[in-house]
Amino acid sequence: MTSPRIVVFSCQWAPHYALQSLYRRGRRGEGDAVRVLAACVGRVGEDVVLEAFRQGAEGVAVLGCPRELCRHGLDLDRFHARVETLRAIIETLGIPAERLLVAAFHPHEGEQLSACLEAFAASLEAPPEPAP
Amino acid sequence: MSRAPEAARPPADDSSALRRDLADLARARSLRRCYDCGKCTSVCPVNLGGALYSPRRLGQMALEDPGPALQSALWDCLTCGACREICPVGVDFPGFVRDARALLPGDAIMRECSHGGALQTIQRLTAEPARQQRRLGWIPAGASCACEGETLLFTGSAPYYDRYFDYLGATTTAAPAAALRIMNRIGITPVLLEKERSSGHDLLFAGDVAGFRRLAQLNADAMRAAGVRRIVTTCAESYHVMAFHYRGAVPEFSLDVEHFATFLERELSGRTVEFAAVPGRVTYHDPCRLGRMSGVVDAPRRLLARIPGLELAEMRHHGAKALCCGTSAWVRCGATNKAIQLARLGEAAATGSEVLATACPKCVIHLRCAQADLPAGPRKSLALADITEILAQSLAPADAKT
């Protein structure tokens, strides 16, 4: 059985350091996911998330920094202002909103980040809920 | 949201094969007929918006030197058809631009389209055959619609625009909702299809011909399966592309296509339908795709004229000479486009109207976007509405039984 195709957009600051802490211990925290490093998740717009789904991603994760660590405050706010819009668009397209994961991690939270992505991948593998 | 600035864009393809193809296309589209009168430049909204832009000169470049400068300039054209309308020898420059974009490298769409190409990406996502959309949540409670039948109310990308442009307060589905209420009021139960896709207009005019053909085929298949024989739409671009381009993309396509304005006018003839008064003054903006490019100019005006108490005031540029709303097919939107939009809002405000009515959801979105940056004043206070919403206000109020 193959892993679900996941694209991870990750901020180059806190979540990147979190993943690096796992790399140093010989672990790939994002599993089989394709990771795209962004200057800030504020630069991750609807365009790239939708394009990831168009290119066949079954799930997209956008990993940012906790607000108090953000070096690009306005950008982060801009992204968060658009998350619900993005979820509404993909739901209209028939893609469950849960297939877009948005989360924030401190640099020391490598284990939590890895567990979060594992749980996300497992949720994508689960059979879909029967229609009501 | 993540559009690259002009200077950061990679240069266009300068291969000799592409140059040859562009020059061949220019000859095939009769750009040689041009005798340099310059009338096209005098009416081109991009030129009027402050950019140095001349269809005449670009036509010459296409014939003689179709290199990177021309290839970049192709994305500035609004394909509004103003130049073709005035050209004494019938040079189809917008048709050349539309077809030339299809020759450019495939990633050009993502580079040149506004909103990072997100709107085109949504349309490409709907072009996947297995996609199960959930696009009919806007249907008003109590409205009557069917899954199969003769007359389809086509809503195109409206549900997606409501979502994407929520920051502008866009209510694009208000027009099809109003059309549905009016149709019910005159005894018609239209088909609404969950399997409907975007019309493909934006992909066609942005150069993704294969994507457009996929959407056209999927729409034609869904319509055939539902027993549809006639398509009615409130969207000017969907109307234009289905009426004039679907037959070229889907050989077996033979459905009648009507814009809601002409459909309603025909349905009302011979019926006694009472219009309630809607006091006020309105001006009508002709969408390029509906007026100049499809010849539907008078029907919307005649419908508005039926409403008691409503005065129609014309803008300086109207009918076939109407000014564009500033952008088309979600391609390149910048300072020049904004200047065109502000000029159009200025013309509308000068009529003293309270409402700027149109028949294209994108015109409403573009003009609303321009209003967002304006300080308080006559241009900002103009209400923007689709004519269908105004007609429903008079013919089938939302609180009335349909």
Side-chain angles (χ1 to χ4, degrees), chain B residues 140-280:
Chain B
S144 174
C145 61
C147 299
E148 293 183 351
E150 199 166 288
T151 303
L152 169 74
L153 178 58
F154 184 87
T155 58
S157 297
Y160 295 103
Y161 296 158
D162 275 4
R163 306 272 190 255
Y164 193 91
F165 295 103
D166 56 357
Y167 65 94
L168 290 175
T171 52
T172 304
T173 51
L180 179 56
R181 289 206 309 273
I182 294 172
M183 291 169 103
N184 286 176
R185 164 83 167 77
I186 59 175
I188 296 172
T189 300
V191 174
L192 286 166
L193 289 177
E194 194 95 75
K195 282 192 170 177
E196 178 184 303
R197 325 278 168 147
S198 303
S199 67
H201 169 278
D202 302 336
L203 295 188
L204 177 67
F205 279 80
D208 182 358
V209 177
F212 163 68
R213 286 177 185 274
R214 269 196 302 276
L215 285 169
Q217 186 68 59
L218 287 165
N219 275 328
D221 292 345
M223 290 168 192
R224 191 187 312 110
V228 171
R229 298 177 66 178
R230 173 174 60 176
I231 305 166
V232 178
T233 181
T234 56
C235 172
E237 296 191 333
S238 295
Y239 166 71
H240 177 76
V241 84
M242 289 194 291
F244 295 93
H245 295 278
Y246 264 35
R247 281 181 175 81
V250 184
E252 71 275 16
F253 185 83
S254 60
L255 303 181
D256 293 330
V257 186
E258 278 187 290
H259 187 269
F260 186 75
T262 49
F263 162 81
L264 182 62
E265 195 180 33
R266 190 171 41 71
E267 288 292 331
L268 290 180
S269 66
R271 291 180 200 238
T272 309
V273 180
E274 204 168 307
F275 283 78
V278 180

Side-chain angles (χ1 to χ4, degrees), chain A residues 24-114:
Chain A
R24 279 195 290 274
R25 283 180 268 151
R27 283 180 53 202
R28 188 178 154 83
E30 67 269 41
D32 295 329
V34 174
R35 188 158 76 99
V36 181
L37 204 58
C40 169
V41 291
R43 309 313 295 172
V44 180
E46 297 97 326
D47 48 353
V48 291
V49 173
L50 289 167
E51 183 62 16
F53 280 115
R54 191 189 74 77
Q55 292 194 21
E58 292 161 87
V60 175
V62 183
L63 307 181
C65 302
R67 177 165 301 280
E68 66 273 18
L69 294 187
C70 179
R71 290 158 167 80
H72 311 267
L74 288 174
D75 271 353
L76 186 69
D77 289 344
R78 186 168 58 174
F79 174 74
H80 283 292
R82 297 297 281 161
V83 169
E84 289 313 311
T85 297
L86 195 42
R87 290 206 165 108
I89 291 171
I90 65 172
E91 286 224 302
T92 309
L93 283 163
I95 301 168
E98 301 76 44
R99 288 180 179 254
L100 172 65
L101 170 73
V102 179
F105 293 95
H106 282 87
H108 64 272
E109 292 181 324
E111 294 294 345
Q112 290 93 324
L113 190 158
S114 179

